[in-house]
Amino acid sequence: MRAYEQLLIGGAWADPSTTGAIDVVEAHTEQVIARFPAASDVDVDRAVTAARRAFDETDWSTQPLEERIAAVERIIAAFAARSDDLAQAITSEVGCTSGFARVGQVGAPLDIMQSFVDLARTFPWEEQRPGRYLPFILRREPVGVVAAIVPWNVPQVLIATKLVPALLAGCTVVVKAAPEAGLDAAILAEVLVAADLPPGVVSVLTGGPAAGAALVAHPGIDKVAFTGSAATGRAIAAECGRQLKRVGLELGGKSATIVLDDADLDAFRAGLRYTSFMNNGQACAAQTRVLAPASQYGEIVDAVAGVAAGLKVGDPFTKGTAIGPMVSARQRDRVRGYIDLGVQEGARLVTGGSSAPDDQPVGWFVRPTVFADVTNDMRIAREEIFGPVLVVIPYDDQDDAIRIANDSEYGLAGSVWTTSPDRALAVARRVRTGAFGINGYAPDTEMPFGGYKASGIGREWGEAGLDEYVELKGINGI
Ligand code: NAD
């Protein structure tokens, strides 16, 4: 077991103010693998005070951009050097397969960090504009001290997406990691020490909701960048509204994948494993509502059920495993509860179910599950389940499919399967989500990511992701 005794406060290891500790439990063995201090309100205050001082009283934000790029490049190098350790930790904590951990949990953050460095070099930090009456300078200045609060599902992706653009913009940052993913957060803290950032610029706090709430409420924070559930997002937005603090919210989803009647079903089958079951279904962008033409309903239900039934469930470190365990007993119970609910609501269970897989007596496993005869008003079609559970909903025609896709509280992602580029674009333009894919969905670090409606406020990645960490200032009269 790895035991951490200290927190990274203001860029240096420091004793926590209390003896409170949180255990990280490995998802497939249920064994405690790490223990780390739970940050208290006092630790939150120390981290924010250090960040405030570094922002207000040092040249971190005013020095040439190249200096901050150099600092981020040191983070990238130190992170790359710990790739294996990070991937292994995340598979243990989150339960994702080691293949996904390498690519999606460690490769992706490296790519995100480099992408922001590349964008920062050409970003219009300061521009001359002619103005209507007088020429003016348009400046993009750092928003200040940032609180980055993230969940456990793709922890390093979500941290990199906030930390790196904030640092490049000249902000200082306090990261609050999720308790379930404390081990990779501790490794990140070691990475940041190795990158030798100036004092105060970054803190990494491990702790639960109370630490997150204390950070949001702290008057020294200028902006909260949050990823997590819609319920927590609403509470954070309310506090930020009260204090008139800037806030970015990346929340849940219930994305639809629309199969048109001319779709290549072999390609759809092959893609489903990634678009819908990525990270064991513990993905905000997972496409968990499959919309199928009524005329081909049976065939598409069979196709989806065939893919789900063929996914091997088991030890996420074993080659060939497609679905590992859920992150925690609580999450497993929640997902199984939704499976029971689907049956009670009258949906037809085609494959899977709420019982444990026969060959997995230990670990928080859930069978990949598919429901047919689902209507879009059922709770299993409306609420985010965050596990390997799909619903297949019939539609009458293309307009009906778009109507059902949009009939959701959420608006995060989606996709359409068709062999007609014209139909693909016609559908893509009308689905109200922040990201959309044609014949699959591949996240791109230069394409904005974020949600309409209850899926959030703001966008991450690309130029939009840098915009989140700047204030605009106009200067004229020179
Ligand atoms: P959660 O909202 O319970 O927790 C997320 C983080 O917020 C954790 O660090 C938690 O400790 C902290 N927190 C909890 N209550 C808080 C409060 N009152 N104030 C401040 N911080 C608080 O989310 P979860 O269930 O752990 O994560 C899964 C959710 O995250 C899903 O809804 C998923 O869709 C969403 N998610 C969204 C995206 C996206 O980019 N849109 C990406 C990944 C996950």
Side-chain angles (χ1 to χ4, degrees), residues 97 99-100 103-104 257 266-288 307-308 311 320-323 390 413 415 417 439-443:
T97 61
F100 181 78
V103 178
T257 185
D266 287 337
F268 165 66
R269 258 190 224 97
L272 203 61
R273 176 169 172 172
Y274 304 101
T275 54
S276 299
F277 291 107
M278 63 174 115
N279 206 20
N280 308 335
Q282 301 179 137
C284 54
Q287 322 228 329
T288 49
V307 171
L311 296 172
T321 296
I323 301 281
L390 305 192
S415 63
W417 295 85
N439 294 322
Y441 169 66

Side-chain angles (χ1 to χ4, degrees), residues 149-154 158 162 176-180 207-216 224 226-233 235-236 249-253 282-285 330-331 334 384 386 410 412 449-451 455-456 460:
I149 303 178
V150 296
W152 43 264
N153 67 326
V154 274
L158 300 173
K162 296 166 179 57
K176 209 294 282 172
E180 297 86 347
L215 194 52
V216 171
V224 178
F226 172 73
T227 298
S229 62
T232 307
I236 289 176
L249 302 172
E250 294 286 340
L251 310 176
Q282 301 179 137
C284 54
R330 185 169 144 256
Q331 182 66 11
R334 195 180 118 86
E384 185 181 52
F386 227 55
Y410 295 110
L412 190 60
F449 185 81
S455 289
E460 296 192 310

Side-chain angles (χ1 to χ4, degrees), residues 437-452:
I438 292 170
N439 294 322
Y441 169 66
D444 188 308
T445 57
E446 292 197 9
M447 188 164 109
F449 185 81
Y452 285 41

